[in-house]
Amino acid sequence: MSFLARNFVVVSVALLVVYTSWAFAGTRVSWLWPICWLTIGVAEAMVLFPVCQKGESMGEARQRVWRGVVRDPLLYFGLLCTLFFLLQAINGPRMLTYYSFENYWGYDLPPVPWLPSGVALDESAQLLTWFTPAIVAALAVRHAMDAKRRRIMLRLVVWNAAFLSLLGVIHVYFGWKKIYGVIDIKTQFFSVFGYPNHAGAFFTFALVLAMGFWLNERELLTPWADLLLVAVMIIFAATIMCLSRTSILMGLGVIVFGGLYAFRRVWSSLTLGNRIIVPFISLFFVTLSWVAMFGNYPGNPVRRELATLSVEEVFGQVWNRAFEMLVPSAIAIWRDNQWYGVGGWGFRHFVPLYLNTEQHNKLFVGAANVHNDFFNFLAEHGTIGLTLLILVGLALVVPLWRSLPSQNMSTAANRVLRGFTMVALLLLLCHSAIDLPFRCPAIIQMTFITLAAVGGLCRDAGTQMPALIGKMPIERHL
């Protein structure tokens, strides 16, 4: 069997991830259509060309994957989500209408009032390219790959984020005002992200994952594991240079506390020479980072951004932009559309109908979203749609909590990776409470694939890995 045939599912998922992230992180509508074809390609690769286990024929591998997929709750929750978004995309549009007898403006009923619907069909259809590809990719990683290929996917996620970070650093260094240096964009951007807070959430998650995966690979004595430290440093630079305040604070916290934990964990494995060198190298990079961020030199954007950062200002922005005006509007919209919501991107159409004159004067460009993913999805997809999304999330997270076998090198390494993955998810959820990271397809795909890969590695910790560990050398090197 050829190399491509053995790894076709890996290549298919990789193409989906790379395209989505580099094509404006999946947020530009005119660039979304290839995602649909790439998703179909992933589904076909998962069913027709799964990775064969040792001594297994392709036919047996297909049967194994099929049995695993049809028993996976993620499949059924994903199908229900896709059906729900599809109905919202085709049951419409809903037109703004003036009801003279009641003397108010509102949206008319959809063609089928008792089914989910959307205001603008082309906008509602975007949700099909947000979550469905991520769910299909997660199923492929969970069932059509072995432990080796799942690790390849994690490396892909980390290094893809590192190269995106490098692109952002190049943009900043050369002062480019265009994405890739050629594509005009009128808003503040970083790398391929037209919204700095999307960039911040993406790179913060990638930073935590990269640190955990580096420790995992190092403790499993994987060759060139310490090369991941290069990715960690580049991604950390992106969390700062994207100028997302949330990302700056989280990135600093991750690099400080995660660095201290990593330093403590690897210290015992260092040789005497490395114990002398590593502290000096660490101090050098800390000093360099401090000067780059807080140095009092002309045009330092990070220092300028941090100079305006205060608890009162951040709280005021969060309160004024979201919880004073947008969240109450989202709750009011949900109360009038409790079961199905108002469709993807429906909040932007409905919110003006729920504001008074004073609040109308406070509207800003970002008011098309609630800046709280929970209430945004609640308003746009109602109780049923939000419940389905939560169930999809639980189907991905629950496998991470499975009990691992008795203590050995593989178990300890996987526990570290699992712990860092849960921290990354927790930070992303915290960011989601004050912004909108889950409205970015690149973030959704990265999160789903990471959870599926790490969950699969935890499942395999007591099977494939111990057999491999026994063949590994005992020495550890930095």
Side-chain angles (χ1 to χ4, degrees):
M1 187 183 297
S2 67
F3 175 84
L4 180 60
R6 293 196 307 271
N7 297 277
F8 191 69
V9 66
V10 178
V11 174
S12 299
V13 177
L15 288 174
L16 174 64
V17 172
V18 171
Y19 176 82
T20 303
S21 57
W22 286 80
F24 298 96
T27 58
R28 183 164 289 193
V29 177
S30 59
W31 291 52
L32 288 178
W33 63 268
I35 295 178
C36 302
W37 293 106
L38 290 171
T39 302
I40 294 173
V42 171
E44 291 179 344
M46 173 176 60
V47 175
L48 298 178
F49 297 101
V51 174
C52 297
Q53 295 180 356
K54 186 176 181 180
E56 188 179 50
S57 67
M58 181 59 73
E60 293 170 336
R62 290 168 182 164
Q63 293 179 359
R64 171 179 52 79
V65 169
W66 177 254
R67 288 195 301 268
V69 169
V70 298
R71 294 173 183 174
D72 193 338
L74 179 61
L75 171 68
Y76 301 102
F77 297 147
L79 287 174
L80 289 174
C81 269
T82 301
L83 176 62
F84 185 89
F85 295 143
L86 180 62
L87 290 173
Q88 286 190 322
I90 63 177
N91 191 21
R94 299 178 63 178
M95 306 302 296
L96 185 63
T97 307
Y98 179 69
Y99 295 90
S100 56
F101 291 106
E102 293 85 358
N103 190 30
Y104 79 97
W105 287 90
Y107 283 89
D108 62 3
L109 293 175
V112 185
W114 50 274
L115 286 177
S117 62
V119 177
L121 302 188
D122 57 338
E123 294 178 353
S124 295
Q126 291 180 37
L127 273 295
L128 291 169
T129 64
W130 291 10
F131 289 98
T132 302
I135 293 170
V136 173
L139 285 170
V141 172
R142 179 179 281 183
H143 297 288
M145 296 185 190
D146 56 8
K148 178 182 177 181
R149 272 72 176 191
R150 293 190 191 104
R151 290 185 172 278
I152 291 175
M153 290 310 307
L154 290 176
R155 291 189 191 98
L156 170 72
V157 169
V158 170
W159 284 107
N160 183 59
F163 283 113
L164 286 169
S165 305
L166 188 60
L167 175 65
V169 172
I170 292 173
H171 280 162
V172 174
Y173 181 79
F174 289 103
W176 290 352
K177 303 302 180 183
K178 300 179 180 181
I179 291 183
Y180 301 123
V182 295
I183 301 176
D184 287 314
I185 185 169
K186 297 180 180 179
T187 59
Q188 180 184 347
F189 72 96
F190 181 82
S191 187
V192 298
F193 296 87
Y195 181 48
N197 285 345
H198 276 167
F202 181 90
F203 291 119
T204 301
F205 186 98
L207 175 64
V208 182
L209 174 64
M211 293 187 69
F213 191 52
W214 163 63
L215 285 173
N216 178 270
E217 293 273 87
R218 195 176 192 282
E219 296 192 5
L220 292 178
L221 307 179
T222 303
W224 302 102
D226 288 327
L227 188 60
L228 284 167
L229 283 175
V230 177
V232 170
M233 290 185 287
I234 298 174
I235 296 171
F236 171 63
T239 64
I240 304 300
M241 298 180 71
C242 69
L243 300 184
S244 166
R245 296 176 180 180
T246 305
S247 170
I248 292 173
L249 294 177
M250 287 185 176
L252 288 172
V254 168
I255 209 69
V256 171
F257 292 104
L260 291 174
Y261 174 82
F263 192 83
R264 174 179 173 273
R265 194 164 185 94
V266 304
W267 183 255
S268 61
S269 66
L270 299 179
T271 63
L272 178 61
N274 285 330
R275 289 187 180 187
I276 297 174
I277 295 173
V278 167
F280 285 100
I281 296 177
S282 302
L283 181 62
F284 170 76
F285 281 110
V286 168
T287 304
L288 182 64
S289 301
W290 182 270
V291 172
M293 288 185 289
F294 303 105
N296 190 18
Y297 55 86
N300 185 345
V302 179
R303 181 184 176 90
R304 184 177 64 248
E305 191 73 19
L306 292 177
T308 62
L309 184 62
S310 66
V311 175
E312 293 80 9
E313 183 173 350
V314 172
F315 179 80
Q317 286 186 354
V318 171
W319 179 261
N320 293 331
R321 288 192 171 192
F323 290 96
E324 182 186 32
M325 181 172 65
L326 300 179
V327 169
S329 298
I331 295 174
I333 293 171
W334 167 70
R335 285 174 176 167
D336 293 337
N337 306 269
Q338 289 191 16
W339 294 112
Y340 300 134
V342 294
W345 292 105
F347 177 81
R348 62 190 295 185
H349 297 283
F350 272 78
V351 66
L353 305 177
Y354 288 81
L355 301 178
N356 57 38
T357 303
E358 180 183 355
Q359 291 173 326
H360 268 278
N361 295 331
K362 293 183 179 180
L363 281 176
F364 54 99
V365 175
N369 298 289
V370 183
H371 291 268
N372 179 295
D373 278 330
F374 178 86
F375 289 107
N376 212 141
F377 289 132
L378 183 66
E380 294 185 347
H381 308 298
T383 303
I384 292 178
L386 179 61
T387 300
L388 289 174
L389 288 174
I390 291 174
L391 289 174
V392 167
L394 289 176
L396 287 164
V397 172
V398 168
L400 269 69
W401 292 107
R402 69 175 72 247
S403 59
L404 294 175
S406 58
Q407 188 71 20
N408 55 44
M409 190 193 306
S410 173
T411 299
N414 279 286
R415 282 176 176 161
V416 170
L417 178 59
R418 179 175 65 179
F420 273 82
T421 301
M422 296 307 296
V423 170
L425 180 61
L426 178 62
L427 292 179
L428 187 61
L429 292 174
C430 290
H431 199 164
S432 176
I434 58 174
D435 219 302
L436 41 102
F438 287 109
R439 300 185 74 79
C440 175
I443 296 176
I444 296 170
Q445 285 186 21
M446 176 177 64
T447 305
F448 281 29
I449 288 172
T450 298
L451 294 177
V454 176
L457 290 175
C458 290
R459 180 189 64 195
D460 296 336
T463 55
Q464 294 98 330
M465 294 307 299
L468 294 176
I469 295 299
K471 300 177 182 180
M472 289 182 175
I474 300 176
E475 302 86 14
R476 296 187 179 188
H477 304 282
L478 179 63

